[in-house]
Amino acid sequence: MSIYVGNLSYDVTSEDVEAVFAEYGRVSRVSLPTDRETGRPRGFAFVEMAAKDDEAKAIEALDGAEWMGRNMKVNEAKPRTESAGGSRGGGGGRSRSSF
């Protein structure tokens, strides 16, 4: 299972996230997606822990917890799904690069 961690400060680092989750067990991996243009974190992360029980404890303890001035959203990550029709972007064969 992977844990989704949302509403993070844009100043957070993967080391910060790992330190918080390490209080609940061994962290296997932290992914902190960044904006392509600015290189700045996008405000969310994904965390994988060595044991399912530790993941459940972390979710229970940290969902809604205040950290770095924000209330974190922590839950089980949902797999990515294709949008209806499997298309990415607007109609007419053109894709939208920004919204």
Side-chain angles (χ1 to χ4, degrees):
M1 164 171 72
S2 186
I3 300 171
Y4 168 81
V5 186
N7 200 33
L8 293 175
S9 166
Y10 295 115
D11 296 325
V12 75
T13 66
S14 57
E15 291 81 12
D16 294 333
V17 175
E18 183 172 353
V20 167
F21 279 81
E23 294 180 26
Y24 301 95
R26 189 168 70 78
V27 176
S28 304
R29 187 173 80 92
V30 173
S31 174
L32 188 65
T34 56
D35 182 88
R36 284 183 226 165
E37 294 178 20
T38 66
R40 191 172 88 168
R42 295 178 61 197
F44 64 93
F46 295 97
V47 176
E48 292 179 13
M49 300 183 75
K52 299 265 185 226
D53 289 345
D54 293 343
E55 289 177 337
K57 285 188 283 187
I59 290 169
E60 176 71 26
L62 297 173
D63 187 35
E66 195 261 324
W67 183 50
M68 296 180 79
R70 293 172 168 248
N71 291 336
M72 290 189 291
K73 172 102 172 117
V74 182
N75 55 38
E76 184 177 342
K78 308 263 189 285
R80 290 181 96 177
T81 59
E82 289 291 322
S83 60
S87 174
R88 298 183 83 191
R94 297 183 345 210
S95 63
R96 296 173 73 175
S97 60
S98 62
F99 292 89

